[in-house]
Amino acid sequence: MNLMQDMAREKIVAPDKDWWRGAVIYQIYPRSFQDSNHDGIGDLAGIIHRLHHVAELGVDAIWISPFFRSPMLDFGYDVSDYRDVDPMFGTLGDFDALIQRAHELGLKVLIDLVLSHTSSQHSWFQESVSSRDNPKADWYVWADAKPDGSPPNNWLSIFGGSAWEWSGDRMQYYLHNFLKEQPDLNFHNPEVQEELLAVARFWLDRGVDGFRLDTINFYFHDKELRNNPALDPARRNATIAPEVNPYNWQDHLHDKNQPENLEFLRRLRALMDEYPAATCVGEVGDAQYGLQIQAQYTGGGDKVHMCYSFEFLSGITPTPERVGEVLRDYEREIGDGWACWAFSNHDVMRHASRWNLGEDARRLYAGLLLSLRGSVCLYQGEELGLTEAYVAYEDLQDPYGIRFWPNYKGRDGCRTPIPWISDNQNGGFSDAKPWLPMAMEHLHRAVANQEDKEDSTLAFYRAMIRFRHSYPALVKGKLELVQTSGGVLSFIREHEGLKLFCAFNLTNAALPVALPKGEWRQDKGAPFTAMQRETEVTLPPYQAYFGAQEAA
């Protein structure tokens, strides 16, 4: 009897290894979330202080952008020590306390692992650059110059210019897909792979529930260092780099997206499967092959759990036709893989400004995002309806924006501090001058101003996330497109005998929508208004309809 009781108890408390499928993940950019030590920069203790806000949203997990030791030339995405917290953000003890508090609040914790490159100040690179025959000489991507002294090939950096930087110490070039101070690791070296897997194990042992994997398709490069071909101008787009950047002019066949990456991802997945319920989401940075790579990396159940690419993180207005195109491509390509959708993050203009959305439209698109098949990433401030902040040139911090100003203003406008209160100029973020100025236009949207208002954007997000969780069909169900034209996007989500018809009016005029065959019961719990008749629904401008039906 005792054995049976123990087995029953284990069954009850066993973690759900599938929790990530359909999860809502809230991205925290720590520099701009909450300052606790009065230096104008957000930190881990500040996150702990504000975690209740995230928990009350009803999300399943948080993703914390990098907080590792770093010279901060790319604000933490240039790591100099993978196993320590930068003093700017606190200590390992602070991180342990954050994990504990998040778990108490029912939140999983994902951290941002930047494995494709390190800082040039990392001890590994300092040893590698010192000579051609030291133990870490082959830990980075080194190559001889051409006979005329020029770089080994035509590969370009996303941050502008050649992807190769000359080292007078080794009399060779090293590869950097981003800043020259971010040298790329050589994944063709088995020792590099082993060390990076050990880094992942270090944080899993410390209690994290998984990782967001930065630039997951950049890990391997072509061993032969072949030139990238020119890209047909008709195929160019500004999905992952601004139009002013000639990076968009190449077909990136050789500097990323290499087949060897699949085996490393299998090794990473095998490591993660040793833990009760760990997961990872990969960022696929590619303007031409994003969905195909996403399918490769998540299919088969033996690589990463989910990926997101940039289909909805670009400037293209998501009309019903455009969303339908992406979803059809996704359904065709993904197979048994899994997507993670996002409209905003720390690298792109906030979508409220990028798509020029009014208040009602912002809420409608949020409802759409939270109804798609896949998991969802929300970026801090989305739940407040924040727009892109104006940052004067003299206040810019982002080297990307400084390089391409004024045609591209960089990423600072989406990274300004979160406004918690409206009655001081720093919005309750800090008592000191913030590292980026508080956007004055954001103050009226402060958390305190929206907290107790039933008609606020914050209240809408809470209600929509709650509604999503009330329907397993929205979390894990399959998706069948119904209409993608005439200003209307509609589809059916289905799971375990229940169908949910979801219709969205993406225009500023009332539209009729025909109901699919069968009897549909409108769910009044959705935070939208619509008028249902027997065979038709009238959707007011920027409103949605959700109707349920038992599957035949």
Side-chain angles (χ1 to χ4, degrees):
M1 186 64 175
N2 288 338
L3 177 59
M4 292 180 63
Q5 289 176 338
D6 288 344
M7 291 177 64
R9 188 179 300 112
E10 286 181 9
K11 185 175 182 180
I12 292 172
V13 301
D16 177 11
K17 292 183 71 72
D18 205 34
W19 69 266
W20 52 272
R21 195 178 292 272
V24 181
I25 304 165
Y26 183 92
Q27 181 190 355
I28 294 176
Y29 192 70
R31 294 180 70 95
S32 299
F33 200 61
Q34 178 65 60
D35 172 25
S36 73
N37 62 355
H38 318 295
D39 64 355
I41 300 171
D43 45 49
L44 298 182
I47 295 175
I48 295 172
H49 179 65
R50 297 294 188 180
L51 264 186
H52 67 281
H53 165 74
V54 183
E56 288 173 0
L57 270 178
V59 302
D60 302 283
I62 58 173
W63 144 29
I64 309 174
S65 292
F67 51 83
F68 314 108
R69 280 190 180 267
S70 167
M72 298 294 166
L73 296 179
D74 192 23
F75 305 106
Y77 286 88
D78 48 329
V79 179
S80 59
D81 187 342
Y82 284 107
R83 290 179 171 86
D84 200 6
V85 173
D86 194 278
M88 173 185 297
F89 297 123
T91 66
L92 279 170
D94 291 328
F95 181 77
D96 293 339
L98 191 161
I99 290 279
Q100 180 179 344
R101 181 57 179 152
H103 288 169
E104 289 171 356
L105 291 169
L107 295 167
K108 306 284 189 183
V109 179
L110 308 183
I111 64 172
D112 213 325
L113 269 191
V114 188
L115 301 182
S116 68
H117 53 267
T118 71
S119 164
S120 58
Q121 295 186 25
H122 198 294
S123 61
W124 302 344
F125 186 75
Q126 292 297 307
E127 184 172 355
S128 186
V129 75
S130 65
S131 69
R132 297 193 186 193
D133 57 3
N134 65 78
K136 290 187 172 55
D138 194 36
W139 276 45
Y140 293 82
V141 184
W142 294 97
D144 291 331
K146 290 181 179 178
D148 63 359
S150 61
N153 59 31
N154 70 345
W155 296 353
L156 297 174
S157 163
I158 284 186
F159 284 173
S162 172
W164 297 95
E165 181 69 13
W166 178 253
S167 166
D169 293 317
R170 284 186 49 145
M171 298 296 287
Q172 284 183 308
Y173 283 96
Y174 67 84
L175 178 68
H176 62 92
N177 276 298
F178 299 92
L179 294 176
K180 63 183 176 64
E181 293 86 1
Q182 293 172 294
D184 274 61
L185 285 161
N186 179 17
F187 274 72
H188 292 288
N189 184 332
E191 292 180 357
V192 171
Q193 293 190 34
E194 290 296 333
E195 181 58 31
L196 293 175
L197 291 172
V199 167
R201 186 181 294 280
F202 172 85
W203 291 104
L204 288 166
D205 287 344
R206 206 155 198 111
V208 304
D209 301 289
F211 308 109
R212 181 266 191 181
L213 298 169
D214 185 63
T215 58
I216 192 175
N217 56 317
F218 282 76
Y219 291 171
F220 281 84
H221 66 284
D222 174 38
K223 265 189 170 182
E224 298 179 30
L225 302 182
R226 288 171 287 188
N227 283 328
N228 284 328
L231 185 68
D232 182 344
R235 295 179 61 206
R236 291 178 192 167
N237 66 72
T239 302
I240 68 164
E243 291 182 358
V244 296
N245 191 344
Y247 185 87
N248 296 321
W249 299 6
Q250 290 187 356
D251 195 354
H252 293 273
L253 298 181
H254 302 302
D255 52 351
K256 58 184 179 181
N257 307 339
Q258 300 304 293
E260 296 94 329
N261 206 23
L262 296 177
E263 187 53 40
F264 175 75
L265 296 180
R266 290 187 181 98
R267 296 189 67 197
L268 177 62
R269 177 62 177 265
L271 166 63
M272 300 193 72
D273 284 348
E274 296 177 23
Y275 295 80
T279 192
C280 56
V281 53
E283 175 202 29
V284 176
D286 194 273
Q288 278 72 47
Y289 312 107
L291 287 177
Q292 296 95 314
I293 296 168
Q294 192 171 323
Q296 291 176 16
Y297 287 9
T298 65
D302 61 345
K303 297 176 284 293
V304 296
H305 301 77
M306 49 188 166
C307 282
Y308 75 84
S309 49
F310 283 69
E311 278 70 26
F312 295 135
L313 287 166
S314 69
I316 301 172
T317 303
T319 61
E321 291 80 3
R322 170 61 181 160
V323 177
E325 178 187 12
V326 170
L327 294 182
R328 286 190 187 95
D329 290 345
Y330 161 76
E331 293 293 335
R332 183 185 66 248
E333 296 284 350
I334 203 70
D336 63 348
W338 195 255
C340 186
W341 302 105
F343 287 168
S344 287
N345 68 16
H346 64 291
D347 279 334
V348 300
M349 179 185 291
R350 288 188 177 275
H351 70 273
S353 296
R354 187 176 359 119
W355 298 336
N356 193 27
L357 303 179
E359 196 70 44
D360 289 341
R362 293 175 209 180
R363 298 184 188 191
L364 181 73
Y365 277 102
L368 171 60
L369 177 63
L370 289 162
S371 301
L372 297 177
R373 177 177 178 244
S375 302
V376 172
C377 281
L378 301 177
Y379 180 52
Q380 64 182 39
E382 271 187 67
E383 76 280 15
L384 304 178
L386 298 189
T387 54
E388 184 80 352
Y390 170 74
V391 181
Y393 180 79
E394 57 268 23
D395 292 323
L396 284 185
Q397 302 292 321
D398 183 15
Y400 204 0
I402 293 170
R403 173 77 183 263
F404 288 107
W405 178 277
N407 294 314
Y408 173 66
K409 296 179 174 62
R411 301 164 295 177
D412 289 328
C414 68
R415 297 177 175 183
T416 55
I418 294 296
W420 298 100
I421 59 176
S422 60
D423 55 0
N424 76 51
Q425 64 179 2
N426 292 337
F429 165 74
S430 177
D431 294 333
K433 180 182 179 182
W435 75 286
L436 279 174
M438 171 63 67
M440 294 298 101
E441 66 270 27
H442 288 173
L443 288 179
H444 74 284
R445 292 184 175 272
V447 174
N449 289 13
Q450 300 193 41
E451 189 74 51
D452 300 319
K453 294 181 179 178
E454 294 183 1
D455 62 345
S456 68
T457 301
L458 177 58
F460 169 85
Y461 269 82
R462 289 172 176 170
M464 188 62 212
I465 293 170
R466 185 167 58 248
F467 180 75
R468 174 186 174 88
H469 284 142
S470 72
Y471 275 100
L474 287 178
V475 177
K476 301 181 188 296
K478 63 182 182 180
L479 182 147
E480 176 190 352
L481 283 167
V482 177
Q483 181 177 345
T484 60
S485 62
V488 172
L489 173 72
S490 66
F491 47 77
I492 295 173
R493 302 295 310 275
E494 182 179 350
H495 185 70
E496 295 182 346
L498 182 71
K499 291 183 176 181
L500 191 68
F501 177 59
C502 312
F504 304 86
N505 177 359
L506 277 64
T507 75
N508 60 3
L511 294 174
V513 177
L515 290 169
K517 184 179 178 180
E519 295 184 7
W520 298 93
R521 182 187 72 256
Q522 183 174 4
D523 193 314
K524 301 291 188 179
F528 290 102
T529 60
M531 183 180 296
Q532 179 177 351
R533 298 178 180 87
E534 287 188 9
T535 61
E536 185 179 271
V537 171
T538 299
L539 285 177
Y542 299 115
Q543 291 295 312
Y545 167 85
F546 294 88
Q549 177 189 115
E550 297 294 330

